[in-house]
Amino acid sequence: MGNSHCDETISDRQAEREQMVREQIITRGINNSGVIKSMLEVPRHRFVAASHQSMAYMDGPLPIGEGQTISQPYIVALMAAVLEPQAADRFLEIGTGSGYAAAVLSRLVSVVYTIERCESLARQAQARFNEMKYDNIKVRIGDGSKGWPEEAPFDGILVSAGAPGIPDSLIKQLKPGGRMVIPAGPKSYQQLTLVKKDAAGEIHSESIGTVVFVPLIGKEGWSE
Ligand code: SAM
C-alpha cells in the first residue's frame, strides 16, 4: 500500500498536469476554456515510454522513437486554440506521432482524422486511443501532405510537422470558414502559420511565431 500522493503520481499525475497548465499554458496567454480543460484531462505521460514518464509534464518536446518527438505542451495548446475548435467540427491532423495532439483535439471536436507516415508510431497511437477509449479518432497510415480527400472538407487542419510551404491539397480540403495551422519554412526553423479560408473561399494567412518541427516528408512536403 502506498500513500495517496505516490498513488496519484503513479496512476494519474493530475497534480503535475495542473501545474503544467498553470505555469506553461495559462501564464503564456492561452485562455480558451475548452483547450485548458482538454490539456488538464489528457494524460500526456501515457503518450511517452515508461522511461520518459517522469518528464512528461516538462516544458519541452520529448523523443517518442523513430527519430520523432511529442511536441511541447504549450505548442499543442497554442495550435489547438488558434483553430477555434467547435463541438460539431471535424478536424484533420497530419503527423499523429504519439497521438497526444490528436487526443487533445478529440476532447474539443466531434471527430479527429489523423495521418502518420511511420507505421509503428501509428500503431502505438491507435493502441493508446483504444486503451483510453478515445473512439472519435480515426488513424490512417500514409502521406498526410496529400490530406485525406475521402473525408474532406475539414473545419480545422493541424499539421504537426514542418513543411516547405502550405500544401495545396490541404488548402483544398479546408471548408469555407475553416482554419489550418502549419509550421512552414526551412528545415531548420519554421513560421507557425495560421491559414483561414473565408466564406468566399479566399485564403488569408498570418505568422503567429517561430517554431522548430521535424520535417513533413511526402509528396507536398520534403523529399526524404
Ligand atoms: N502530433 C504528434 C504528437 O502529439 O505526438 C507529434 C508529431 S511529430 C512532431 C511529427 C510526426 O509527423 C512524426 O511522427 C512524423 O513521422 C510525422 N510525419 C512526417 N511527415 C509526415 C507525412 N507526410 N504524413 C504523415 N506523417 C508525417
Side-chain angles (χ1 to χ4, degrees):
M1 293 259 290
N3 65 36
S4 60
H5 173 73
C6 285
D7 286 347
E8 183 189 61
T9 305
I10 292 163
S11 65
D12 187 49
R13 297 184 182 262
Q14 183 64 32
E16 288 171 70
R17 216 152 36 250
E18 282 171 14
Q19 187 178 6
M20 170 192 85
V21 167
R22 217 173 33 246
E23 295 178 1
Q24 301 171 30
I25 311 291
I26 296 174
T27 54
R28 289 181 179 138
I30 298 206
N31 56 17
N32 180 308
S33 57
V35 172
I36 290 170
K37 190 161 172 271
S38 185
M39 299 291 291
L40 283 171
E41 181 184 327
V42 177
R44 190 171 190 261
H45 63 283
R46 291 178 66 179
F47 292 82
V48 296
S51 54
H52 287 97
Q53 289 195 347
S54 63
M55 293 179 272
Y57 296 99
M58 289 181 178
D59 192 12
L62 283 172
I64 54 170
E66 309 290 348
Q68 304 302 328
T69 52
I70 177 172
S71 306
Q72 181 189 9
Y74 168 66
I75 294 293
V76 174
L78 175 66
M79 292 173 90
V82 298
L83 288 177
E84 300 172 40
Q86 308 295 318
D89 282 352
R90 299 167 70 254
F91 272 18
L92 173 68
E93 187 209 17
I94 314 301
T96 318
S98 68
Y100 177 68
V104 168
L105 294 177
S106 77
R107 309 297 82 200
L108 295 163
V109 300
S110 67
V111 59
V112 178
Y113 296 88
T114 181
I115 311 176
E116 171 57 55
R117 69 186 290 271
C118 174
E119 182 172 347
S120 65
L121 292 177
R123 293 204 186 285
Q124 283 177 62
Q126 179 69 72
R128 291 181 179 121
F129 301 148
N130 294 347
E131 201 178 299
M132 294 179 218
K133 302 197 167 33
Y134 290 159
D135 50 18
N136 62 337
I137 307 175
K138 316 291 173 202
V139 183
R140 172 187 255 192
I141 298 165
D143 175 10
S145 73
K146 298 183 286 187
W148 192 326
E150 300 84 347
E151 295 295 345
F154 301 100
D155 300 282
I157 302 179
L158 187 156
V159 183
S160 283
I166 299 163
D168 282 342
S169 296
L170 298 185
I171 291 180
K172 282 201 191 97
Q173 291 173 36
L174 257 192
K175 262 188 200 169
R179 295 81 60 199
M180 166 162 50
V181 64
I182 175 168
K187 271 192 183 166
S188 48
Y189 68 94
Q190 303 87 33
Q191 295 304 317
L192 190 58
T193 309
L194 178 61
V195 180
K196 291 186 176 178
K197 187 182 268 188
D198 68 22
E202 292 290 317
I203 300 299
H204 308 268
S205 59
E206 63 174 306
S207 168
I208 55 171
T210 303
V211 287
V212 180
F213 271 80
V214 296
L216 179 80
I217 294 170
K219 184 158 181 281
E220 296 189 44
W222 297 96
S223 50
E224 270 187 86

